[in-house]
Amino acid sequence: MDWIDKLERRWGRYGIPNLVNALMIGQLAVGLFILIVDWRVSLYLGLTRYEVLHGQIWRLVTFLFQPIWLGGFLGILNLVFYFWIGNALTRVWGDFRMTLFLALGMLGAWVSCFLTGGATASAIFLSMLFAYTWLWPDQGVLLFGIIPFKMKYLGWFELAVWAWNFITASNMTRLSMILGLAGFLAFFGREVFDWCRDTVTGYKRRRDWENRNRR
């Protein structure tokens, strides 16, 4: 990530402190407002090309605060989960890299919005999960706060769901799904590519060795 190092040396002072905390608190506050005061406020948060081009430019930011946790107790656990992994990433990366990671995700969502007509923040949160899983695959967590499991299993499951949706989606939706992962791809794309290449190469070598020894 040499290019990120260069950016950090030059612009590191512009990292936003406690950005993940602000995002999660905003999610909680907006969700409570929707549940208690007026559900219609959610209609003015989403990122859609038509509304943005007609002057509702606040949607370029407010789409991040569309609640991902509405849906009872499990929804709250989901919010707490992203609060946890987001702060873990911030502690390792620092404020600037976390800000850059989320900004790239936002940029991907904006491009997706103007190309396809709309976008959500779901891929940005998925990027955070993928990033955490890539860095700490054997980290133990509790599913639903009860069942112990390792992050890599959740990562593989989410990747399988993403891949299935990608295969069955239209071309424009596929583009949107890729752009939404801009943060993860920018930070880890090269590492993931190298890992895939080495895994395939290693498999071929083992297969060739086994074939030679069967003769």
mmCIF file of all heavy atoms in Angstrom, residues 156-196:
data_model
loop_
_atom_site.group_PDB
_atom_site.id
_atom_site.type_symbol
_atom_site.label_atom_id
_atom_site.label_comp_id
_atom_site.label_asym_id
_atom_site.label_seq_id
_atom_site.Cartn_x
_atom_site.Cartn_y
_atom_site.Cartn_z
ATOM 1 N N TRP A 156 -16.290 -15.995 4.716
ATOM 2 C CA TRP A 156 -16.580 -16.871 3.580
ATOM 3 C C TRP A 156 -18.070 -16.927 3.285
ATOM 4 O O TRP A 156 -18.483 -16.968 2.119
ATOM 5 C CB TRP A 156 -16.048 -18.278 3.853
ATOM 6 C CG TRP A 156 -14.576 -18.434 3.634
ATOM 7 C CD1 TRP A 156 -13.632 -18.729 4.570
ATOM 8 C CD2 TRP A 156 -13.870 -18.303 2.394
ATOM 9 N NE1 TRP A 156 -12.383 -18.782 4.000
ATOM 10 C CE2 TRP A 156 -12.499 -18.526 2.656
ATOM 11 C CE3 TRP A 156 -14.257 -18.013 1.093
ATOM 12 C CZ2 TRP A 156 -11.520 -18.470 1.670
ATOM 13 C CZ3 TRP A 156 -13.282 -17.958 0.094
ATOM 14 C CH2 TRP A 156 -11.943 -18.190 0.394
ATOM 15 N N PHE A 157 -18.880 -16.943 4.338
ATOM 16 C CA PHE A 157 -20.331 -16.963 4.138
ATOM 17 C C PHE A 157 -20.800 -15.700 3.426
ATOM 18 O O PHE A 157 -21.567 -15.763 2.454
ATOM 19 C CB PHE A 157 -21.039 -17.109 5.485
ATOM 20 C CG PHE A 157 -22.539 -16.982 5.388
ATOM 21 C CD1 PHE A 157 -23.305 -18.028 4.907
ATOM 22 C CD2 PHE A 157 -23.166 -15.807 5.764
ATOM 23 C CE1 PHE A 157 -24.690 -17.912 4.804
ATOM 24 C CE2 PHE A 157 -24.546 -15.673 5.668
ATOM 25 C CZ PHE A 157 -25.314 -16.732 5.186
ATOM 26 N N GLU A 158 -20.340 -14.539 3.904
ATOM 27 C CA GLU A 158 -20.746 -13.273 3.285
ATOM 28 C C GLU A 158 -20.230 -13.187 1.848
ATOM 29 O O GLU A 158 -20.911 -12.653 0.968
ATOM 30 C CB GLU A 158 -20.218 -12.096 4.109
ATOM 31 C CG GLU A 158 -20.858 -11.942 5.476
ATOM 32 C CD GLU A 158 -22.315 -11.519 5.398
ATOM 33 O OE1 GLU A 158 -22.769 -11.107 4.302
ATOM 34 O OE2 GLU A 158 -23.011 -11.585 6.425
ATOM 35 N N LEU A 159 -19.038 -13.709 1.606
ATOM 36 C CA LEU A 159 -18.499 -13.713 0.250
ATOM 37 C C LEU A 159 -19.338 -14.605 -0.664
ATOM 38 O O LEU A 159 -19.594 -14.257 -1.829
ATOM 39 C CB LEU A 159 -17.049 -14.188 0.263
ATOM 40 C CG LEU A 159 -16.353 -14.256 -1.110
ATOM 41 C CD1 LEU A 159 -16.333 -12.878 -1.772
ATOM 42 C CD2 LEU A 159 -14.941 -14.812 -0.971
ATOM 43 N N ALA A 160 -19.774 -15.751 -0.146
ATOM 44 C CA ALA A 160 -20.614 -16.652 -0.948
ATOM 45 C C ALA A 160 -21.942 -15.994 -1.300
ATOM 46 O O ALA A 160 -22.419 -16.104 -2.437
ATOM 47 C CB ALA A 160 -20.848 -17.948 -0.176
ATOM 48 N N VAL A 161 -22.533 -15.301 -0.323
ATOM 49 C CA VAL A 161 -23.794 -14.594 -0.590
ATOM 50 C C VAL A 161 -23.568 -13.505 -1.631
ATOM 51 O O VAL A 161 -24.360 -13.340 -2.573
ATOM 52 C CB VAL A 161 -24.358 -13.990 0.717
ATOM 53 C CG1 VAL A 161 -25.564 -13.095 0.412
ATOM 54 C CG2 VAL A 161 -24.746 -15.096 1.690
ATOM 55 N N TRP A 162 -22.469 -12.754 -1.464
ATOM 56 C CA TRP A 162 -22.154 -11.690 -2.420
ATOM 57 C C TRP A 162 -21.946 -12.277 -3.820
ATOM 58 O O TRP A 162 -22.443 -11.726 -4.811
ATOM 59 C CB TRP A 162 -20.902 -10.949 -1.968
ATOM 60 C CG TRP A 162 -20.520 -9.787 -2.834
ATOM 61 C CD1 TRP A 162 -20.884 -8.477 -2.671
ATOM 62 C CD2 TRP A 162 -19.697 -9.825 -4.011
ATOM 63 N NE1 TRP A 162 -20.348 -7.693 -3.664
ATOM 64 C CE2 TRP A 162 -19.616 -8.494 -4.500
ATOM 65 C CE3 TRP A 162 -19.022 -10.834 -4.691
ATOM 66 C CZ2 TRP A 162 -18.881 -8.165 -5.643
ATOM 67 C CZ3 TRP A 162 -18.303 -10.510 -5.829
ATOM 68 C CH2 TRP A 162 -18.235 -9.195 -6.291
ATOM 69 N N ALA A 163 -21.213 -13.384 -3.905
ATOM 70 C CA ALA A 163 -20.930 -13.996 -5.202
ATOM 71 C C ALA A 163 -22.210 -14.491 -5.867
ATOM 72 O O ALA A 163 -22.390 -14.326 -7.087
ATOM 73 C CB ALA A 163 -19.938 -15.145 -5.032
ATOM 74 N N TRP A 164 -23.104 -15.083 -5.084
ATOM 75 C CA TRP A 164 -24.359 -15.562 -5.658
ATOM 76 C C TRP A 164 -25.192 -14.394 -6.200
ATOM 77 O O TRP A 164 -25.743 -14.463 -7.294
ATOM 78 C CB TRP A 164 -25.150 -16.332 -4.615
ATOM 79 C CG TRP A 164 -26.526 -16.704 -5.093
ATOM 80 C CD1 TRP A 164 -27.711 -16.139 -4.717
ATOM 81 C CD2 TRP A 164 -26.850 -17.712 -6.057
ATOM 82 N NE1 TRP A 164 -28.761 -16.721 -5.383
ATOM 83 C CE2 TRP A 164 -28.267 -17.697 -6.210
ATOM 84 C CE3 TRP A 164 -26.098 -18.637 -6.799
ATOM 85 C CZ2 TRP A 164 -28.917 -18.561 -7.080
ATOM 86 C CZ3 TRP A 164 -26.761 -19.487 -7.670
ATOM 87 C CH2 TRP A 164 -28.142 -19.444 -7.797
ATOM 88 N N ASN A 165 -25.279 -13.325 -5.395
ATOM 89 C CA ASN A 165 -26.015 -12.139 -5.852
ATOM 90 C C ASN A 165 -25.368 -11.531 -7.092
ATOM 91 O O ASN A 165 -26.066 -11.051 -7.990
ATOM 92 C CB ASN A 165 -26.080 -11.096 -4.733
ATOM 93 C CG ASN A 165 -26.952 -11.541 -3.580
ATOM 94 O OD1 ASN A 165 -27.891 -12.321 -3.768
ATOM 95 N ND2 ASN A 165 -26.654 -11.054 -2.390
ATOM 96 N N PHE A 166 -24.039 -11.588 -7.139
ATOM 97 C CA PHE A 166 -23.317 -11.058 -8.289
ATOM 98 C C PHE A 166 -23.632 -11.874 -9.547
ATOM 99 O O PHE A 166 -23.874 -11.311 -10.622
ATOM 100 C CB PHE A 166 -21.814 -11.080 -8.007
ATOM 101 C CG PHE A 166 -20.977 -10.481 -9.101
ATOM 102 C CD1 PHE A 166 -20.747 -9.117 -9.149
ATOM 103 C CD2 PHE A 166 -20.395 -11.291 -10.083
ATOM 104 C CE1 PHE A 166 -19.967 -8.566 -10.154
ATOM 105 C CE2 PHE A 166 -19.624 -10.752 -11.092
ATOM 106 C CZ PHE A 166 -19.406 -9.381 -11.125
ATOM 107 N N ILE A 167 -23.641 -13.187 -9.412
ATOM 108 C CA ILE A 167 -23.889 -14.058 -10.559
ATOM 109 C C ILE A 167 -25.295 -13.876 -11.108
ATOM 110 O O ILE A 167 -25.522 -13.875 -12.322
ATOM 111 C CB ILE A 167 -23.646 -15.529 -10.176
ATOM 112 C CG1 ILE A 167 -22.152 -15.769 -9.898
ATOM 113 C CG2 ILE A 167 -24.135 -16.485 -11.264
ATOM 114 C CD1 ILE A 167 -21.851 -17.111 -9.291
ATOM 115 N N THR A 168 -26.258 -13.711 -10.212
ATOM 116 C CA THR A 168 -27.656 -13.644 -10.624
ATOM 117 C C THR A 168 -28.125 -12.235 -10.953
ATOM 118 O O THR A 168 -29.270 -12.062 -11.388
ATOM 119 C CB THR A 168 -28.556 -14.217 -9.513
ATOM 120 O OG1 THR A 168 -28.349 -13.473 -8.293
ATOM 121 C CG2 THR A 168 -28.239 -15.681 -9.273
ATOM 122 N N ALA A 169 -27.267 -11.226 -10.778
ATOM 123 C CA ALA A 169 -27.679 -9.831 -10.977
ATOM 124 C C ALA A 169 -27.496 -9.400 -12.428
ATOM 125 O O ALA A 169 -26.844 -10.077 -13.235
ATOM 126 C CB ALA A 169 -26.873 -8.920 -10.063
ATOM 127 N N SER A 170 -28.065 -8.252 -12.751
ATOM 128 C CA SER A 170 -27.848 -7.639 -14.060
ATOM 129 C C SER A 170 -26.447 -7.039 -14.110
ATOM 130 O O SER A 170 -25.783 -6.882 -13.076
ATOM 131 C CB SER A 170 -28.881 -6.542 -14.308
ATOM 132 O OG SER A 170 -28.692 -5.478 -13.385
ATOM 133 N N ASN A 171 -26.001 -6.691 -15.303
ATOM 134 C CA ASN A 171 -24.650 -6.142 -15.458
ATOM 135 C C ASN A 171 -24.485 -4.832 -14.696
ATOM 136 O O ASN A 171 -23.434 -4.582 -14.089
ATOM 137 C CB ASN A 171 -24.341 -5.920 -16.944
ATOM 138 C CG ASN A 171 -24.126 -7.227 -17.682
ATOM 139 O OD1 ASN A 171 -23.730 -8.225 -17.086
ATOM 140 N ND2 ASN A 171 -24.388 -7.229 -18.986
ATOM 141 N N MET A 172 -25.506 -3.991 -14.699
ATOM 142 C CA MET A 172 -25.410 -2.723 -13.989
ATOM 143 C C MET A 172 -25.352 -2.940 -12.476
ATOM 144 O O MET A 172 -24.618 -2.261 -11.766
ATOM 145 C CB MET A 172 -26.591 -1.824 -14.358
ATOM 146 C CG MET A 172 -26.570 -1.343 -15.802
ATOM 147 S SD MET A 172 -25.054 -0.413 -16.215
ATOM 148 C CE MET A 172 -25.322 1.105 -15.308
ATOM 149 N N THR A 173 -26.120 -3.911 -11.994
ATOM 150 C CA THR A 173 -26.073 -4.223 -10.569
ATOM 151 C C THR A 173 -24.714 -4.801 -10.190
ATOM 152 O O THR A 173 -24.173 -4.510 -9.119
ATOM 153 C CB THR A 173 -27.186 -5.210 -10.198
ATOM 154 O OG1 THR A 173 -28.457 -4.641 -10.544
ATOM 155 C CG2 THR A 173 -27.170 -5.520 -8.712
ATOM 156 N N ARG A 174 -24.148 -5.610 -11.066
ATOM 157 C CA ARG A 174 -22.807 -6.153 -10.808
ATOM 158 C C ARG A 174 -21.788 -5.033 -10.683
ATOM 159 O O ARG A 174 -20.922 -5.059 -9.799
ATOM 160 C CB ARG A 174 -22.403 -7.100 -11.928
ATOM 161 C CG ARG A 174 -23.167 -8.416 -11.949
ATOM 162 C CD ARG A 174 -22.863 -9.198 -13.201
ATOM 163 N NE ARG A 174 -23.635 -10.446 -13.246
ATOM 164 C CZ ARG A 174 -23.754 -11.196 -14.319
ATOM 165 N NH1 ARG A 174 -23.147 -10.846 -15.447
ATOM 166 N NH2 ARG A 174 -24.469 -12.301 -14.277
ATOM 167 N N LEU A 175 -21.893 -4.062 -11.568
ATOM 168 C CA LEU A 175 -20.991 -2.911 -11.494
ATOM 169 C C LEU A 175 -21.155 -2.198 -10.170
ATOM 170 O O LEU A 175 -20.171 -1.819 -9.523
ATOM 171 C CB LEU A 175 -21.277 -1.957 -12.656
ATOM 172 C CG LEU A 175 -20.467 -0.653 -12.686
ATOM 173 C CD1 LEU A 175 -18.985 -0.962 -12.821
ATOM 174 C CD2 LEU A 175 -20.950 0.241 -13.821
ATOM 175 N N SER A 176 -22.390 -2.019 -9.741
ATOM 176 C CA SER A 176 -22.663 -1.370 -8.468
ATOM 177 C C SER A 176 -22.075 -2.153 -7.308
ATOM 178 O O SER A 176 -21.512 -1.576 -6.365
ATOM 179 C CB SER A 176 -24.182 -1.218 -8.293
ATOM 180 O OG SER A 176 -24.492 -0.683 -7.026
ATOM 181 N N MET A 177 -22.171 -3.488 -7.342
ATOM 182 C CA MET A 177 -21.649 -4.323 -6.267
ATOM 183 C C MET A 177 -20.133 -4.227 -6.168
ATOM 184 O O MET A 177 -19.568 -4.255 -5.067
ATOM 185 C CB MET A 177 -22.080 -5.766 -6.490
ATOM 186 C CG MET A 177 -23.582 -5.994 -6.355
ATOM 187 S SD MET A 177 -24.075 -7.687 -6.780
ATOM 188 C CE MET A 177 -23.321 -8.598 -5.417
ATOM 189 N N ILE A 178 -19.471 -4.109 -7.299
ATOM 190 C CA ILE A 178 -18.010 -3.982 -7.306
ATOM 191 C C ILE A 178 -17.588 -2.606 -6.808
ATOM 192 O O ILE A 178 -16.687 -2.474 -5.970
ATOM 193 C CB ILE A 178 -17.454 -4.237 -8.714
ATOM 194 C CG1 ILE A 178 -17.678 -5.701 -9.112
ATOM 195 C CG2 ILE A 178 -15.964 -3.905 -8.781
ATOM 196 C CD1 ILE A 178 -17.317 -6.007 -10.545
ATOM 197 N N LEU A 179 -18.246 -1.568 -7.306
ATOM 198 C CA LEU A 179 -17.901 -0.205 -6.903
ATOM 199 C C LEU A 179 -18.131 0.013 -5.419
ATOM 200 O O LEU A 179 -17.402 0.762 -4.761
ATOM 201 C CB LEU A 179 -18.724 0.796 -7.713
ATOM 202 C CG LEU A 179 -18.359 0.926 -9.188
ATOM 203 C CD1 LEU A 179 -19.379 1.792 -9.919
ATOM 204 C CD2 LEU A 179 -16.964 1.516 -9.347
ATOM 205 N N GLY A 180 -19.140 -0.651 -4.866
ATOM 206 C CA GLY A 180 -19.415 -0.503 -3.450
ATOM 207 C C GLY A 180 -18.302 -1.027 -2.562
ATOM 208 O O GLY A 180 -18.180 -0.620 -1.405
ATOM 209 N N LEU A 181 -17.482 -1.926 -3.091
ATOM 210 C CA LEU A 181 -16.358 -2.483 -2.337
ATOM 211 C C LEU A 181 -15.055 -1.737 -2.613
ATOM 212 O O LEU A 181 -13.968 -2.273 -2.395
ATOM 213 C CB LEU A 181 -16.183 -3.963 -2.690
ATOM 214 C CG LEU A 181 -17.342 -4.898 -2.338
ATOM 215 C CD1 LEU A 181 -17.045 -6.307 -2.829
ATOM 216 C CD2 LEU A 181 -17.613 -4.912 -0.843
ATOM 217 N N ALA A 182 -15.161 -0.500 -3.083
ATOM 218 C CA ALA A 182 -13.982 0.259 -3.497
ATOM 219 C C ALA A 182 -12.944 0.362 -2.387
ATOM 220 O O ALA A 182 -11.732 0.263 -2.635
ATOM 221 C CB ALA A 182 -14.397 1.655 -3.966
ATOM 222 N N GLY A 183 -13.391 0.562 -1.156
ATOM 223 C CA GLY A 183 -12.446 0.684 -0.046
ATOM 224 C C GLY A 183 -11.636 -0.581 0.152
ATOM 225 O O GLY A 183 -10.403 -0.551 0.238
ATOM 226 N N PHE A 184 -12.319 -1.713 0.204
ATOM 227 C CA PHE A 184 -11.617 -2.985 0.403
ATOM 228 C C PHE A 184 -10.698 -3.299 -0.769
ATOM 229 O O PHE A 184 -9.558 -3.736 -0.578
ATOM 230 C CB PHE A 184 -12.629 -4.113 0.595
ATOM 231 C CG PHE A 184 -11.985 -5.459 0.757
ATOM 232 C CD1 PHE A 184 -11.424 -5.828 1.966
ATOM 233 C CD2 PHE A 184 -11.920 -6.349 -0.306
ATOM 234 C CE1 PHE A 184 -10.817 -7.072 2.122
ATOM 235 C CE2 PHE A 184 -11.319 -7.590 -0.165
ATOM 236 C CZ PHE A 184 -10.766 -7.943 1.053
ATOM 237 N N LEU A 185 -11.176 -3.089 -1.980
ATOM 238 C CA LEU A 185 -10.369 -3.403 -3.161
ATOM 239 C C LEU A 185 -9.136 -2.515 -3.234
ATOM 240 O O LEU A 185 -8.056 -2.971 -3.629
ATOM 241 C CB LEU A 185 -11.216 -3.244 -4.422
ATOM 242 C CG LEU A 185 -12.374 -4.240 -4.564
ATOM 243 C CD1 LEU A 185 -13.215 -3.897 -5.788
ATOM 244 C CD2 LEU A 185 -11.859 -5.663 -4.646
ATOM 245 N N ALA A 186 -9.276 -1.246 -2.857
ATOM 246 C CA ALA A 186 -8.126 -0.336 -2.885
ATOM 247 C C ALA A 186 -7.080 -0.728 -1.845
ATOM 248 O O ALA A 186 -5.875 -0.664 -2.101
ATOM 249 C CB ALA A 186 -8.592 1.101 -2.655
ATOM 250 N N PHE A 187 -7.533 -1.143 -0.670
ATOM 251 C CA PHE A 187 -6.612 -1.468 0.413
ATOM 252 C C PHE A 187 -6.018 -2.875 0.283
ATOM 253 O O PHE A 187 -4.850 -3.095 0.606
ATOM 254 C CB PHE A 187 -7.339 -1.349 1.755
ATOM 255 C CG PHE A 187 -7.333 0.030 2.350
ATOM 256 C CD1 PHE A 187 -7.843 1.103 1.643
ATOM 257 C CD2 PHE A 187 -6.829 0.256 3.614
ATOM 258 C CE1 PHE A 187 -7.854 2.372 2.179
ATOM 259 C CE2 PHE A 187 -6.831 1.520 4.170
ATOM 260 C CZ PHE A 187 -7.341 2.592 3.439
ATOM 261 N N PHE A 188 -6.827 -3.820 -0.176
ATOM 262 C CA PHE A 188 -6.401 -5.220 -0.131
ATOM 263 C C PHE A 188 -6.479 -5.943 -1.467
ATOM 264 O O PHE A 188 -6.170 -7.141 -1.532
ATOM 265 C CB PHE A 188 -7.262 -5.992 0.886
ATOM 266 C CG PHE A 188 -7.167 -5.473 2.279
ATOM 267 C CD1 PHE A 188 -8.194 -4.716 2.822
ATOM 268 C CD2 PHE A 188 -6.056 -5.725 3.057
ATOM 269 C CE1 PHE A 188 -8.119 -4.227 4.114
ATOM 270 C CE2 PHE A 188 -5.964 -5.242 4.358
ATOM 271 C CZ PHE A 188 -7.007 -4.494 4.888
ATOM 272 N N GLY A 189 -6.875 -5.251 -2.517
ATOM 273 C CA GLY A 189 -7.048 -5.911 -3.803
ATOM 274 C C GLY A 189 -5.815 -6.647 -4.283
ATOM 275 O O GLY A 189 -5.898 -7.797 -4.745
ATOM 276 N N ARG A 190 -4.656 -6.026 -4.168
ATOM 277 C CA ARG A 190 -3.415 -6.663 -4.613
ATOM 278 C C ARG A 190 -3.095 -7.895 -3.771
ATOM 279 O O ARG A 190 -2.685 -8.942 -4.305
ATOM 280 C CB ARG A 190 -2.261 -5.660 -4.551
ATOM 281 C CG ARG A 190 -0.911 -6.231 -4.976
ATOM 282 C CD ARG A 190 -0.947 -6.754 -6.414
ATOM 283 N NE ARG A 190 0.290 -7.347 -6.795
ATOM 284 C CZ ARG A 190 1.319 -6.673 -7.335
ATOM 285 N NH1 ARG A 190 1.217 -5.363 -7.537
ATOM 286 N NH2 ARG A 190 2.425 -7.285 -7.662
ATOM 287 N N GLU A 191 -3.284 -7.789 -2.457
ATOM 288 C CA GLU A 191 -3.025 -8.923 -1.582
ATOM 289 C C GLU A 191 -3.967 -10.081 -1.882
ATOM 290 O O GLU A 191 -3.555 -11.248 -1.893
ATOM 291 C CB GLU A 191 -3.172 -8.508 -0.117
ATOM 292 C CG GLU A 191 -2.126 -7.520 0.378
ATOM 293 C CD GLU A 191 -2.335 -7.181 1.835
ATOM 294 O OE1 GLU A 191 -2.733 -8.078 2.612
ATOM 295 O OE2 GLU A 191 -2.116 -6.020 2.214
ATOM 296 N N VAL A 192 -5.231 -9.771 -2.117
ATOM 297 C CA VAL A 192 -6.205 -10.817 -2.429
ATOM 298 C C VAL A 192 -5.847 -11.502 -3.748
ATOM 299 O O VAL A 192 -5.907 -12.731 -3.870
ATOM 300 C CB VAL A 192 -7.625 -10.233 -2.499
ATOM 301 C CG1 VAL A 192 -8.611 -11.265 -3.029
ATOM 302 C CG2 VAL A 192 -8.060 -9.734 -1.124
ATOM 303 N N PHE A 193 -5.444 -10.698 -4.737
ATOM 304 C CA PHE A 193 -5.045 -11.263 -6.028
ATOM 305 C C PHE A 193 -3.846 -12.179 -5.865
ATOM 306 O O PHE A 193 -3.816 -13.288 -6.417
ATOM 307 C CB PHE A 193 -4.720 -10.138 -7.011
ATOM 308 C CG PHE A 193 -4.183 -10.625 -8.331
ATOM 309 C CD1 PHE A 193 -5.053 -11.086 -9.316
ATOM 310 C CD2 PHE A 193 -2.810 -10.624 -8.581
ATOM 311 C CE1 PHE A 193 -4.558 -11.541 -10.534
ATOM 312 C CE2 PHE A 193 -2.310 -11.080 -9.794
ATOM 313 C CZ PHE A 193 -3.190 -11.543 -10.772
ATOM 314 N N ASP A 194 -2.831 -11.724 -5.119
ATOM 315 C CA ASP A 194 -1.638 -12.546 -4.906
ATOM 316 C C ASP A 194 -1.990 -13.834 -4.162
ATOM 317 O O ASP A 194 -1.458 -14.914 -4.483
ATOM 318 C CB ASP A 194 -0.586 -11.757 -4.110
ATOM 319 C CG ASP A 194 0.024 -10.638 -4.927
ATOM 320 O OD1 ASP A 194 -0.096 -10.660 -6.168
ATOM 321 O OD2 ASP A 194 0.618 -9.721 -4.320
ATOM 322 N N TRP A 195 -2.880 -13.751 -3.173
ATOM 323 C CA TRP A 195 -3.287 -14.934 -2.422
ATOM 324 C C TRP A 195 -3.995 -15.925 -3.329
ATOM 325 O O TRP A 195 -3.722 -17.138 -3.271
ATOM 326 C CB TRP A 195 -4.195 -14.522 -1.270
ATOM 327 C CG TRP A 195 -4.677 -15.681 -0.456
ATOM 328 C CD1 TRP A 195 -4.024 -16.303 0.569
ATOM 329 C CD2 TRP A 195 -5.928 -16.375 -0.615
ATOM 330 N NE1 TRP A 195 -4.788 -17.344 1.066
ATOM 331 C CE2 TRP A 195 -5.956 -17.410 0.360
ATOM 332 C CE3 TRP A 195 -7.011 -16.224 -1.465
ATOM 333 C CZ2 TRP A 195 -7.041 -18.272 0.484
ATOM 334 C CZ3 TRP A 195 -8.095 -17.093 -1.344
ATOM 335 C CH2 TRP A 195 -8.111 -18.100 -0.377
ATOM 336 N N CYS A 196 -4.904 -15.435 -4.164
ATOM 337 C CA CYS A 196 -5.611 -16.314 -5.098
ATOM 338 C C CYS A 196 -4.641 -16.971 -6.075
ATOM 339 O O CYS A 196 -4.726 -18.188 -6.344
ATOM 340 C CB CYS A 196 -6.669 -15.519 -5.870
ATOM 341 S SG CYS A 196 -8.058 -14.939 -4.874
#
